[in-house]
Amino acid sequence: MSADPVLLTPGPLTISMRTKESMLRDWGSWDSDFNQITARIRERLVDIVHGRATHECVPMQGSGTFSVEAALGTLVPRQHGHVLVPQNGAYCQRITRILKILGRAVTTIDYAEDAAVSPLDIERALAKDASITHVALVHCETSTGILNPLPEIAAVVARHGRRLIIDAMSSFGALEIDARTMPFDAVIAASGKCLEGPPGMGFVVVRKSALEAAEGNCHSLALDLHDQWVYMQKTTQWRYTPPTHVVAALDSAIDQYLADGGREARGATYTRNCRELIAGMSALGLRSFLPAEIQAPIIVTFHAPTETKGGYDFKRFYNAVKARGYILYPGKLTTVETFRVGCMGQMGPRGIGGAVAAVADVLAAGL
Ligand SMILES: *Cc1c(COP(=O)(O)O)cnc(C)c1O
C-alpha cells in the first residue's frame, strides 16, 4: 500500500501520527477526564492570543463557518447592530452573506482580489457613519493568501470606539494576534488549521464583557455562544454532543505545538515553507499571484501553467500531482486560472521540496 498523499491544503491538512493516535480512545461527554481536556484547551487557546485577563474561549461544534456564524449572530445585536465588512476575497464575502441571512445591517468596502484592506479606508468609513457598531475582518484571506493588516485596523477600530470581530481561521496560532495590543471583541478559528488538529470544531476567543452583554442576541439555539459559554461555565460540559475525538486530538496537537515552540516556531516554519515554495515554483516558471508584501505565509496562489499539452486542466494537473504523493488545492479566483498550495501541516519527510519536485515531474511529462 502506498503512503497517503500529503495534503497541501489550508485544512483539513496532514496531521502528525501522534495527533491521529490520540483519537483512538473513546470518551464519555460527562466524564470529568474529558471535561478537563475541554477546560485545558480553552485556557491554552486564550493564552495563544494573550487574552487571559480579558477574554474567554467558547468552543463550538462544526466547521469554522459555524463558529463565524455563531460569533456574528451572538455578538452583533439584532436591533442596532451594523457591521462594516472590508471585502477582498471569498471568506469576507461569506461574512457578508451570513450577516444578510441573519438580517443584520451590513456595509461593505470592496477591493480587488489582489489588494489588501486599507486601514485608511476603514478610518474613513467609520468617521462617515456613526451607526456602524462592528468591523468584521478576515485576517488571512485564504481564498488568495492575502494578509490583511490587523494591528493597524485594530487600532483604527478602537480609536473610533467600535468593536472588532476577526476571522483568523487560517492565521490563529501561526501569525501574531495579541489581545493586549490589538484590541478585539472576538477572534474566530478552528481545530483543523494552523494548530494542526483534525477538522470538526471551531472556537471563538471573546471579550468577557462582550459575551456578558450578548445574552438573547442570537437567532439560533445551537449557535448561541452566550448559551454555550454559560452552560460550560456551570457544568464544565459542552451543550449537546461534543466532537470528543476531535477535542482530544486538538489537545494533543496543542501539546505538540507548545513543545515545538508555540506561535513563533509555527509561524517561522510556515514562513520557511512559503519562501521555499515560491522560490521552487518560480524556478519551474510558475508565478505566484500576489505581490510579496501582502502574501501571508499560509497559502500561495499560483498562475496555472501555460506549457501543458492540450491546454491546462486543473483536474488533470491535480491527478498527476496526486499520483506523485501530493494534494493541491483549486484556485478560487473568478478572473484568472490559478491553483493554490498550502504552507501548513506535516509536509512529510521531504518537506516542500518533495512537493516542488512532484510538480516539476508533472510539468516535465507535459501534463
Ligand atoms: C477555513 C476558513 C473558514 C472556515 O471554513 P470551513 O470550511 O467552514 O471550516 C473561514 N474563514 C477562513 C479565512 C478560512 O480560511
Side-chain angles (χ1 to χ4, degrees):
M1 199 186 82
S2 64
D4 293 336
V6 173
L7 297 173
L8 297 174
T9 61
L13 31 78
T14 299
I15 60 179
S16 74
M17 189 51 71
R18 191 173 143 198
T19 302
K20 288 197 241 285
E21 282 168 356
S22 69
M23 289 185 276
L24 293 174
R25 172 168 170 190
D26 301 311
W27 298 89
S29 63
W30 279 71
D31 191 82
S32 66
D33 291 342
F34 176 73
N35 291 317
Q36 277 169 23
I37 297 179
T38 300
R40 184 161 66 229
I41 287 179
R42 291 176 63 205
E43 277 191 10
R44 296 197 293 183
L45 292 173
V46 171
D47 286 343
I48 289 172
V49 292
H50 311 286
R52 204 179 264 236
T54 42
H55 289 65
E56 292 273 332
C57 173
V58 189
M60 179 56 72
Q61 296 93 331
S63 86
T65 305
F66 291 66
S67 285
V68 175
E69 189 160 329
L72 295 169
T74 304
L75 297 174
V76 179
R78 277 190 247 199
Q79 293 301 325
H80 303 293
H82 179 182
V83 187
L84 177 68
V85 186
Q87 296 192 131
N88 57 354
Y91 289 102
C92 311
Q93 286 161 11
R94 187 177 297 175
I95 288 178
T96 301
R97 184 144 179 241
I98 291 170
L99 289 165
K100 286 188 173 159
I101 289 171
L102 301 187
R104 303 301 202 271
V106 51
T107 296
T108 64
I109 306 177
D110 296 315
Y111 293 91
E113 286 168 314
D114 60 353
V117 172
S118 147
L120 193 60
D121 292 340
I122 307 279
E123 173 98 59
R124 288 200 189 106
L126 296 182
K128 201 171 85 181
D129 190 342
S131 76
I132 293 169
T133 53
H134 293 73
V135 174
L137 177 76
V138 174
H139 187 197
C140 168
E141 181 37 90
T142 321
S143 58
T144 51
I146 291 182
L147 180 64
N148 286 317
L150 169 62
E152 293 80 2
I153 292 170
V156 166
V157 174
R159 187 144 26 88
H160 283 268
R162 318 299 167 87
R163 296 165 176 280
L164 180 63
I165 296 174
I166 309 162
D167 172 350
M169 209 68 67
S170 64
S171 56
F172 189 101
L175 306 184
E176 191 184 20
I177 300 171
D178 190 332
R180 299 164 305 182
T181 57
M182 308 169 194
F184 60 81
D185 266 15
V187 63
I188 311 155
S191 54
K193 300 221 174 176
C194 304
L195 295 170
E196 301 189 352
M201 61 169 277
F203 54 89
V204 189
V205 176
V206 196
R207 188 183 298 284
K208 197 171 170 201
S209 57
L211 202 45
E212 283 163 350
E215 185 173 3
N217 277 348
C218 197
H219 61 290
S220 162
L221 172 68
L223 294 178
D224 188 338
L225 283 185
H226 178 270
D227 206 41
Q228 177 93 312
W229 176 60
V230 168
Y231 187 86
M232 209 168 253
Q233 295 299 90
K234 203 156 51 190
T235 66
T236 76
Q237 296 166 17
W238 295 56
R239 284 175 327 162
Y240 322 139
T241 306
T244 46
H245 299 78
V246 176
V247 174
L250 177 60
D251 186 47
S252 168
I254 295 173
D255 284 343
Q256 295 163 66
Y257 168 84
L258 296 174
D260 287 348
R263 209 279 306 158
E264 284 178 15
R266 180 84 19 120
T269 300
Y270 290 0
T271 300
R272 207 161 46 237
N273 287 347
C274 182
R275 285 209 191 109
E276 196 182 334
L277 175 66
I278 291 175
M281 297 291 250
S282 161
L284 302 178
L286 294 171
R287 280 182 307 126
S288 58
F289 171 72
L290 293 176
E293 315 82 71
I294 58 170
Q295 173 70 60
I298 300 294
I299 186 166
V300 183
T301 299
F302 290 98
H303 289 282
T306 48
E307 305 291 304
T308 48
K309 224 186 283 170
Y312 171 78
D313 173 59
F314 176 73
K315 218 41 208 266
R316 202 168 57 217
F317 183 59
Y318 173 94
N319 283 328
V321 176
K322 180 180 170 185
R324 288 158 179 82
Y326 294 90
I327 299 282
L328 300 174
Y329 209 56
K332 216 174 180 157
L333 298 178
T334 42
T335 47
V336 246
E337 188 75 68
T338 55
F339 67 95
R340 286 177 289 170
V341 184
C343 308
M344 54 218 289
Q346 303 287 310
M347 294 281 169
R350 298 172 64 207
I352 283 283
V356 173
V359 171
D361 196 38
V362 168
L363 293 177
L367 289 167

